[in-house]
Amino acid sequence: MSNPESSGSAQPARAAGFALLGLAGVALVLGVVTLFTGSDDDPQAQQQQPTPTASAPADPGASGEPPAGEPSASEPATESSAPPATTTTAEQPPATTTEQQQPQPQPQPPAQQPGDQSQGTPATRPSVRVYNNSNISGLAARASDDIGKSGWAVQATGNYPDGIIETTTVYYRAGTAEEDSAKQLAQSIRARVMPRFDGIKDAHDGVIVIVTNDYQGPSGKVGS
């Protein structure tokens, strides 16, 4: 036979247990509902979620290099890959005047006349031989001295006894360069100039001078 007091105390305990179970079930249901629906409405949940922010572009100055696809600040935007074009100006030669372009006429030496004492030099003049055909002793030597002082090379002096020469004469070989030299010498000593005659035609090369009594010499004095 059961104890009525123990039965009476067990019923309130059971009722309290059922009540706790019910509360636990309600709490479980609320928790599930909150899990699915309370994430958008819960202010605490919203505060815990990080606010998405737009990522700022990288600062070109931070790394020291420009962003990809954009020119650097030191180069023009249109010349990012090609070197800067350089403009060279061809150097023009200095302008020349008309006087520089045209050659200046050179002065021409005066034409040399036959008998001109300026013609010929001692190195190119023919040799000279002086012969006396007068009755003046030592006339050939004196004439030779005068001719030598005029710049001529006298090779020999002597007498010419084969005939009489009319006047003091300078002789040259016809058709040779001796003619110009003979004319020059004849003008210097105031004498006649002629081609060689047969008596001296085959003599030594060079100019032959035969002096007579009328020999004047450079001073112009007969027999001086």
Side-chain angles (χ1 to χ4, degrees), residues 2 49 74 80 106 108 123 142 144 173 191 197:
S2 63
Q49 293 181 358
S74 61
S80 58
Q106 298 295 330
Q108 299 296 330
R142 189 174 65 191
S144 176
R173 292 179 300 165
F197 56 90

Side-chain angles (χ1 to χ4, degrees), residues 3 7 13 39 45 47 70 74-75 80 85 94 111 114 134 151 164 183 193:
N3 188 2
S7 298
S39 60
Q47 292 179 359
E70 292 185 4
S74 61
E75 296 182 357
S80 58
S134 72
I164 298 175
K183 291 178 180 180
V193 58

Side-chain angles (χ1 to χ4, degrees), residues 74-118:
S74 61
E75 296 182 357
T78 58
E79 298 178 357
S80 58
S81 60
T86 58
T87 303
T88 58
T89 303
E91 183 177 356
Q92 298 297 331
T96 57
T97 62
T98 305
E99 294 181 357
Q100 292 177 345
Q101 294 178 355
Q102 296 179 356
Q104 297 295 329
Q106 298 295 330
Q108 299 296 330
Q112 296 177 346
Q113 300 297 330
D116 187 0
Q117 295 186 9
S118 64

Side-chain angles (χ1 to χ4, degrees), residues 42 50-51 53 90 139 145 154 167 174 198 203 223:
D42 190 359
T51 302
T53 58
L139 185 60
D145 185 60
V154 178
T167 184
D198 291 341

